[in-house]
Amino acid sequence: MAQQVFNILILRLVVSLFINVTAVSVEPKVNVADRLQELNEIQEDLKMKLKQLETMMDSEVGKLKEKVEFLETKVQEQDNLFKKCQVKNSDAIGSLRNAEENNLKRMVLDPKTCLEARTANPSLESGMYFIDPDGQGRGDDPIYVYCNMTTGSTSILHDSEDSIAVSHCFEPGCYTRGIKYNATLRQMTMLSELSNVCHQSIQVDCYDAAFEFNGIPYAWWNDRNGDPRYFWSGMNNNSSGRYHTCQCGLDGSCKDKSLSCNCDSDLAIELSDIGILLEKDFLPVTKLNFGRTIAPTSINRHTLGRFECNGKVVLNGMPTSCQDLWRIGYTLSGIYSIKGSSNKVETVYCDFTKLPGDEELQTWIGYVDVKSEPVYFTVARKTLFSNLNTAISFDQETLNTGNGLNTSTGVFSAPRNGTYFFAFSSFAENQYSSFSVYLQLNDATIATCITSYALFYCNIPSTLKLSTGDRVQVSLQQGTTNNAIFTGWLLAEDIIQ
Ligand SMILES: *[C@@H]1O[C@H](CO)[C@@H](O)[C@H](O)[C@H]1NC(C)=O
Ligand SMILES: *[C@@H]1O[C@H](CO)[C@@H](O)[C@H](O)[C@H]1NC(C)=O
Ligand SMILES: *[C@@H]1O[C@H](CO)[C@@H](O)[C@H](O)[C@H]1NC(C)=O
Ligand SMILES: *[C@@H]1O[C@H](CO)[C@@H](O)[C@H](O)[C@H]1NC(C)=O
Ligand SMILES: *[C@@H]1O[C@H](CO)[C@@H](O)[C@H](O)[C@H]1NC(C)=O
Ligand SMILES: *[C@@H]1O[C@H](CO)[C@@H](O)[C@H](O)[C@H]1NC(C)=O
């Protein structure tokens, strides 16, 4: 009985389970299998897709990797390039800076004169400096000179600054010593051009060795052009002949008052001549020549000072040449106006790549037609004029500029120095009347004109050189006139007095 109950219970349970199962799925057995099949298929499909995706991803990643590597190398290359560029740039900047510094240094180091250096930097100490009198970057190389920064003077050193004994010989100039300067002659000439004063001291100690004896010169020095000079101090203020003197000759203090140098004496006593050569255009001394030292007891010793220049060149008035312009500091080649000869302004081309002494420095172009004020007039007379020996006045004024002609008096008064042109013209009232006129400069008659039956026109053209205030007029000498034309103008003005 109990077994039955149990069985029934089991059955119920199974049935209820079954019912439950049927309640859950409508077509339970077939549907589940199908579904599984379906799911499997989906799974397979997904797996395949995943595989595909993976391979795709793999290839994409590979490509990306390649790209990244490529980019990395690119970046590396760019980086290298950039670094190189930086190095180059800094090199360039460095060399630019160096160039600038060098330029600055050169500007400081190579002024034209010591004075220029001192003007640029007043704190500079005296000593050896490089200067370039003929200008930076052209002509000769800079020279190494002594600058006295107290005075601003420039000194050129040479090989004969010590006291040097002259060898024994007899003939005039048998002893010769060429002076070797530590600068080219051109640089020294340019230094002299730029300076206000140049000088060189010279001392000769002598004993029985005359400079000059019985009118024969045994000793001289050569100037920068190589010409012999016989004065041992001062300027060459006697251009006539062979100028011979020493400082004692200039002072009248020579031992032998009849001579102009102590060393002109043939006496066996120790003598000296000490002088300072001041002739800027002759300096420096290029050679020293002595003679008449043949006697074993004869002594001549020379001591030549440095070639020293100081001051800035001072022009006497307006520049008259490219050389003047160069001296006062012009360096830009071009067309310039200068004070010409004949009181006119002239135009020249200055080529400042050339140096003074070079013909091509200056090319003459022509006169400049400068008028400080224009002066011209044209006037006429249409009414009767009969006052004899009186300036003909005018009643019509076509032009009158520059304060020259006073129409009411008929007198022209030159407003400026210069050259003027005038023309006066008139004709007789009729065939039977005659008249004469004359052109006057101040109170002098310059030209006259008389009409006649044959010639009843009067023309007086004239070109006159006038000074300020000079009067020009046309006066009636005889007869009458009732017509006249007077014209005149300033042709060329004397700009430079
Ligand atoms: C001469 O000048 C040169 C440069 O031009 C310089 O190097 C040299 O030291 C100078 N000599 C003397 C003795 O000053
Ligand atoms: C500079 O020149 C002056 C005048 O000639 C002189 O007295 C002075 O001793 C010089 N100074 C130097 C440093 O050469
Ligand atoms: C010669 O030159 C000196 C300067 O060295 C000057 O004092 C003198 O007056 C001049 N003499 C003549 C005659 O010109
Ligand atoms: C110039 O020199 C000549 C010859 O030496 C001489 O006769 C004349 O007196 C000198 N003149 C002057 C101004 O020194
Ligand atoms: C012309 O001359 C007269 C007489 O000298 C004078 O009175 C007059 O002012 C002058 N005219 C001019 C424009 O200068
Ligand atoms: C004009 O020329 C005379 C002599 O020709 C001269 O004395 C005068 O100074 C010059 N200048 C002026 C502005 O008149």
Side-chain angles (χ1 to χ4, degrees):
M1 206 33 206
Q3 187 65 43
Q4 271 182 339
V5 171
F6 180 74
N7 282 349
I8 287 162
L9 273 171
I10 287 289
L11 190 71
R12 271 196 188 165
L13 187 70
V14 167
V15 167
S16 77
L17 259 172
F18 188 81
I19 287 164
N20 274 351
V21 168
T22 39
V24 168
S25 140
V26 183
E27 285 168 277
K29 260 185 189 164
V30 181
N31 280 350
V32 168
D34 279 359
R35 191 90 183 125
L36 270 172
Q37 178 76 23
E38 212 176 291
L39 281 172
N40 271 340
E41 277 170 11
I42 288 170
Q43 197 183 18
E44 281 308 304
D45 191 40
L46 278 173
K47 267 185 191 163
M48 233 171 68
K49 280 200 174 145
L50 192 69
K51 267 255 168 65
Q52 276 176 357
L53 202 71
E54 266 174 3
T55 47
M56 243 172 73
M57 283 293 282
D58 271 357
S59 86
E60 283 301 310
V61 166
K63 276 185 199 164
L64 276 173
K65 264 188 191 162
E66 269 171 32
K67 272 191 182 162
V68 166
E69 268 165 24
F70 175 74
L71 283 174
E72 267 174 359
T73 50
K74 272 272 157 185
V75 165
Q76 192 60 43
E77 274 171 26
Q78 297 278 359
D79 214 37
N80 286 346
L81 265 175
F82 182 63
K83 270 182 193 151
K84 269 190 206 161
C85 239
Q86 266 184 327
V87 170
K88 265 192 196 159
N89 262 339
S90 68
D91 273 5
I93 289 166
S95 62
L96 211 74
R97 271 204 201 115
N98 280 347
E100 266 170 19
E101 268 166 25
N102 278 346
N103 274 342
L104 276 175
K105 256 186 218 160
R106 289 193 75 81
M107 269 169 72
V108 173
L109 279 177
D110 296 349
K112 283 186 173 160
T113 63
C114 293
L115 186 62
E116 202 176 289
R118 191 186 68 159
T119 309
N121 183 359
S123 65
L124 290 177
E125 307 250 325
S126 294
M128 296 300 292
Y129 287 87
F130 273 101
I131 62 164
D132 200 351
D134 70 9
Q136 192 87 50
R138 62 206 154 92
D140 297 341
D141 287 341
I143 53 173
Y144 198 49
V145 302
Y146 180 78
C147 292
N148 180 331
M149 290 305 186
T150 312
T151 56
S153 71
T154 306
S155 298
I156 314 280
L157 280 57
H158 62 78
D159 68 345
S160 307
E161 293 176 32
D162 296 334
S163 171
I164 295 170
V166 169
S167 55
H168 296 281
C169 63
F170 182 71
E171 295 301 319
C174 54
Y175 166 92
T176 287
R177 185 177 174 93
I179 314 299
K180 290 194 183 65
Y181 292 91
N182 203 13
T184 60
L185 205 53
R186 168 149 79 171
Q187 288 282 34
M188 291 191 281
T189 306
M190 294 307 126
L191 173 64
S192 157
E193 284 283 331
L194 294 166
S195 304
N196 190 26
V197 289
C198 292
H199 58 86
Q200 196 163 14
S201 68
I202 179 149
Q203 170 165 357
V204 180
D205 302 306
C206 52
Y207 181 90
D208 188 15
F211 281 170
E212 202 169 307
F213 194 74
N214 278 342
I216 301 166
Y218 287 90
W220 64 88
W221 55 275
N222 293 95
D223 67 19
R224 74 174 181 218
N225 303 312
D227 295 329
R229 302 291 167 188
Y230 305 85
F231 65 97
W232 300 87
S233 197
M235 313 273 288
N236 178 46
N237 53 14
N238 187 337
S239 55
S240 69
R242 184 171 55 75
Y243 176 53
H244 176 68
T245 193
C246 288
Q247 190 56 44
C248 73
L250 295 172
D251 300 341
S253 63
C254 296
K255 288 278 181 308
D256 183 340
K257 295 276 189 287
S258 68
L259 303 172
S260 44
C261 289
N262 287 323
C263 289
D264 277 345
S265 165
D266 218 19
L267 298 176
I269 38 171
E270 280 183 36
L271 295 165
S272 286
D273 278 304
I274 302 171
I276 298 176
L277 301 170
L278 298 169
E279 195 63 57
K280 184 160 100 95
D281 295 341
F282 289 178
L283 295 174
V285 172
T286 55
K287 255 187 205 176
L288 286 170
N289 311 276
F290 294 93
R292 210 178 162 80
T293 52
I294 192 73
T297 52
S298 289
I299 298 172
N300 248 344
R301 301 185 70 85
H302 58 75
T303 314
L304 184 65
R306 294 173 177 176
F307 175 51
E308 187 175 338
C309 289
N310 205 356
K312 205 166 152 43
V313 71
V314 180
L315 290 188
N316 276 329
M318 297 185 215
T320 61
S321 62
C322 293
Q323 179 156 343
D324 280 353
L325 292 172
W326 182 87
R327 288 155 90 204
I328 57 174
Y330 281 73
T331 53
L332 210 59
S333 297
I335 289 176
Y336 290 91
S337 291
I338 56 163
K339 173 183 173 178
S341 45
S342 76
N343 305 337
K344 307 264 187 305
V345 179
E346 290 175 16
T347 295
V348 289
Y349 171 69
C350 299
D351 179 357
F352 288 119
T353 62
K354 304 292 187 299
L355 288 168
D358 192 330
E359 254 181 42
E360 287 166 52
L361 174 66
Q362 178 171 317
T363 308
W364 194 78
I365 295 187
Y367 292 102
V368 185
D369 189 16
V370 181
K371 291 188 180 72
S372 60
E373 189 186 3
V375 181
Y376 49 80
F377 67 87
T378 292
V379 293
R381 170 131 209 140
K382 298 288 181 194
T383 55
L384 184 74
F385 186 82
S386 56
N387 300 341
L388 296 185
N389 301 316
T390 306
I392 297 170
S393 58
F394 303 91
D395 47 29
Q396 279 191 4
E397 196 175 272
T398 309
L399 283 172
N400 194 359
T401 297
N403 262 330
L405 186 79
N406 183 328
T407 41
S408 64
T409 59
V411 177
F412 177 85
S413 181
R416 299 280 302 161
N417 284 3
T419 307
Y420 293 79
F421 172 80
F422 300 95
F424 175 87
S425 177
S426 178
F427 53 88
E429 289 179 59
N430 58 60
Q431 217 173 332
Y432 307 102
S433 73
S434 105
F435 72 97
S436 68
V437 292
Y438 56 103
L439 180 76
Q440 270 179 298
L441 168 55
N442 296 328
D443 295 319
T445 299
I446 301 286
T448 54
C449 177
I450 304 163
T451 62
S452 66
Y453 295 118
L455 185 83
F456 73 134
Y457 278 104
C458 247
N459 291 313
I460 308 179
S462 192
T463 300
L464 298 172
K465 187 119 183 63
L466 303 181
S467 291
T468 306
D470 278 348
R471 285 169 288 112
V472 174
Q473 64 188 67
V474 179
S475 299
L476 193 63
Q477 192 167 30
Q478 170 227 314
T480 59
T481 179
N482 64 359
N483 65 85
I485 287 176
F486 193 31
T487 190
W489 64 82
L490 172 60
L491 267 180
E493 180 172 338
D494 294 349
I495 290 289
I496 301 153
Q497 306 302 338

